[in-house]
Amino acid sequence: QVQLVESGGGLVQAGGSLRLSCAASGRTFRWYAMAWFRQAPGKEREFVAAIFWSGGGIVYADSVKGRFTLSRDNARNTVYLQMNTLKPEDTAVYYCASGSSPSRWKVDYDYWGQGTQVTVSS
């Protein structure tokens, strides 16, 4: 019942910033969680951050703590990932997902966006 569309990816220099957006359509439940995952070529899709629509339960991967900030705008049915101090190793396709709780595991999410490419040059 939920469709997710990511946007905001692009090419940035190391140390730069980028903000990703994930717009949700269909019925969104306030008790549901939204998350960001990323996948680099030849790598497994890995957890980045997650949050409840209510704003609680925020979880970050260790690799992005202190650099990335997850937020949401309930009025716009949109979640954001503000990425600062970007590193080349952040290069990946970033996906948003919706599930019942802010889990670190991709199997716990029911809906996924198409992904948006983030490339960080050095």
Side-chain angles (χ1 to χ4, degrees):
Q1 291 183 307
V2 179
Q3 293 178 319
L4 306 173
V5 180
E6 302 98 333
S7 62
L11 174 65
V12 297
Q13 293 182 310
S17 298
L18 201 63
R19 189 182 74 164
L20 305 183
S21 299
C22 177
S25 61
R27 190 167 185 177
T28 55
F29 299 95
R30 67 185 185 277
W31 55 89
Y32 261 54
M34 298 294 292
W36 288 94
F37 286 76
R38 65 187 183 185
Q39 187 168 25
K43 301 290 186 179
E44 295 290 326
R45 190 171 299 186
E46 66 173 352
F47 173 79
V48 177
I51 190 173
F52 277 119
W53 276 113
S54 66
I58 296 177
V59 181
Y60 292 101
D62 289 341
S63 60
V64 305
K65 285 181 180 177
R67 299 190 298 120
F68 291 10
T69 302
L70 185 62
S71 63
R72 83 278 184 263
D73 185 338
N74 295 86
R76 295 179 181 271
N77 292 323
T78 301
V79 295
Y80 305 96
L81 185 67
Q82 178 65 47
M83 305 185 295
N84 298 324
T85 319
L86 283 162
K87 304 174 180 180
E89 51 262 45
D90 294 318
T91 295
V93 176
Y94 283 70
Y95 300 88
C96 63
S98 176
S100 297
S101 63
S103 169
R104 288 183 166 89
W105 318 117
K106 58 182 181 290
V107 295
D108 292 327
Y109 293 89
D110 303 311
Y111 303 97
W112 294 82
Q114 85 289 345
T116 185
Q117 177 71 47
V118 171
T119 302
V120 184
S121 63
S122 61

